[in-house]
Amino acid sequence: MPNSSSISEFLLLALADTRQLQLLHFWLLLGIYLAALLGNGLISTAVACDHRLHTPMYFFLLNLALLDLACISTTLPKAMANALWHTRHISYAGCAAQVFFFFFLYSAEYSLLTIMSYDRYVAICKPLHYGTLLGSRACATMAAAAWGTGVLNSLLHTANTFSLPVCQGNAVDQFFCEIPQLVKLSCSKSYLREDGLLLFSICLSFGCFVFIVVSYVQIFRAVLRMPSEQGRHKAFSTCLPHLAVVSLLVSTGSLAYVKPHSQSSPFLDVTVALLYSVVPPTLNPIIYSMRNKEIKHAIRKVLQYVHYSSFNKVPIFLT
């Protein structure tokens, strides 16, 4: 009977049985990965280079784009490599690193989305206090708290997960090392400790979700009282995308981590994992830029800079 000390590697779930489908999955995942890198990279560059976007809302959006870049880079490259080289292996240390970084980035992103809802609440419901409540120092502190909370939360779960004795082999029913799938490999009863920690984290996440919902109830009440149709449109254009991202992240993430082990199936598990680990980092750049004129203008400036620098060697500046 294997245990955690005797296991040197894990076997990840193969997304397809035939070689042709594996290569198809590789190219599909590669396209998704490149789209996520391009979208989040453009938003990060645009916000960093355009001084007009140096505001709290876009500072948090920059942090979100960086988290999305790191989050999707934690899971997809290994899945693509396995599909390309027709293998399922991941080392024990590599699996632990994947769990730590993914849970850290996922937790930090959820904390950041909570902070972003507070930012929108203050901007719309308490505009006269916006500069006081969300100064540069306060924004940096809140962003650091989001990243720090993710690190601490991930350290706790990673250490606890990999301290569990493994009695059910080393085959993980997921395309990356996911805590619920690793817990399923542990001996009977020993997984209850990690399940308890997950339940505690979910309760904290639910508290954040309640805060977000209450914030948006107040926001929508304030928006509907605005006399200007243009003001209402601008408020909805910045709030609705954020609410859509939060809803997708909370619903799919909760399903993945709360669902009883007995009710899991490989197809459902992979589908849910794709929805909360791959879809948000890929769609966030589209969601946040689709109805945001400032972001679209800044991205256009970045693309113009790249175009002229590459072909005409004429520098232009993001002003």
Side-chain angles (χ1 to χ4, degrees):
M1 181 178 295
N3 56 56
S4 56
S5 61
S6 65
I7 290 180
S8 61
E9 65 179 13
F10 290 94
L11 299 177
L12 299 177
L13 181 69
L15 294 176
D17 297 327
T18 65
R19 187 61 183 148
Q20 290 78 8
L21 284 177
Q22 285 179 341
L23 292 176
L24 178 63
H25 282 119
F26 166 77
W27 289 110
L28 180 62
L29 294 177
L30 179 62
I32 293 173
Y33 184 57
L34 292 177
L37 291 183
L38 178 63
N40 288 290
L42 281 174
I43 285 185
S44 301
T45 305
V47 173
C49 295
D50 195 330
H51 68 89
R52 290 171 299 184
L53 300 183
H54 292 176
T55 63
M57 182 179 78
Y58 293 111
F59 170 73
F60 295 132
L61 183 58
L62 170 63
N63 278 265
L64 182 66
L66 294 176
L67 284 170
D68 282 337
L69 277 172
C71 190
I72 200 167
S73 297
T74 302
T75 56
L76 281 197
K78 182 59 180 177
M80 290 188 296
N82 284 355
L84 180 63
W85 302 114
H86 191 48
T87 182
R88 298 171 54 194
H89 300 274
I90 184 171
S91 67
Y92 186 90
C95 186
Q98 198 174 61
V99 167
F100 170 77
F101 283 109
F102 181 78
F103 210 83
F104 151 50
L105 296 164
Y106 186 84
S107 301
E109 179 161 339
Y110 189 63
S111 299
L112 188 67
L113 289 171
T114 306
I115 294 171
M116 291 173 73
S117 70
Y118 174 71
D119 167 72
R120 291 297 84 207
Y121 166 75
V122 176
I124 294 173
C125 299
K126 298 181 181 295
L128 298 180
H129 301 283
Y130 190 72
T132 304
L133 296 174
L134 285 158
S136 57
R137 186 172 181 177
C139 291
T141 301
M142 286 189 284
W147 288 76
T149 300
V151 170
L152 293 176
N153 195 26
S154 183
L155 276 174
L156 179 65
H157 285 281
T158 304
N160 190 63
T161 299
F162 284 89
S163 69
L164 297 176
V166 177
C167 303
Q168 308 295 329
N170 65 339
V172 181
D173 290 333
Q174 191 56 272
F175 66 93
F176 67 97
C177 287
E178 186 185 49
I179 288 180
Q181 301 302 329
L182 292 170
V183 169
K184 285 170 59 177
L185 302 179
S186 63
C187 303
S188 60
K189 303 294 184 180
S190 62
Y191 65 83
L192 294 177
R193 184 176 56 188
E194 176 58 24
D195 280 355
L197 284 176
L198 285 174
L199 183 61
F200 177 71
S201 295
I202 289 167
C203 290
L204 290 179
S205 300
F206 181 73
C208 292
F209 182 69
V210 170
F211 178 85
I212 293 171
V213 170
V214 171
S215 298
Y216 274 100
V217 169
Q218 298 299 320
I219 288 171
F220 290 143
R221 288 177 60 186
V223 167
L224 293 175
R225 290 197 299 265
M226 288 181 177
S228 169
E229 183 177 348
Q230 184 178 3
R232 290 197 299 269
H233 175 76
K234 184 176 181 180
F236 278 123
S237 67
T238 57
C239 293
L240 289 178
H242 178 254
L243 195 58
V245 171
V246 171
S247 300
L248 177 63
L249 204 63
V250 170
S251 59
T252 53
S254 298
L255 181 61
Y257 285 86
V258 177
K259 183 174 78 285
H261 303 313
S262 59
Q263 296 181 9
S264 63
S265 67
F267 176 77
L268 177 61
D269 291 342
V270 170
T271 302
V272 172
L274 287 171
L275 286 175
Y276 81 85
S277 68
V278 175
V279 173
T282 307
L283 292 186
N284 278 353
I286 300 173
I287 291 174
Y288 280 102
S289 63
M290 185 170 53
R291 300 180 64 184
N292 191 308
K293 292 181 180 179
E294 290 85 357
I295 283 288
K296 287 193 287 189
H297 177 75
I299 290 176
R300 193 177 301 115
K301 285 289 188 180
V302 171
L303 294 176
Q304 287 176 358
Y305 177 82
V306 172
H307 173 77
Y308 283 107
S309 297
S310 301
F311 297 99
N312 298 333
K313 305 300 181 182
V314 178
I316 62 173
F317 300 95
L318 302 182
T319 58

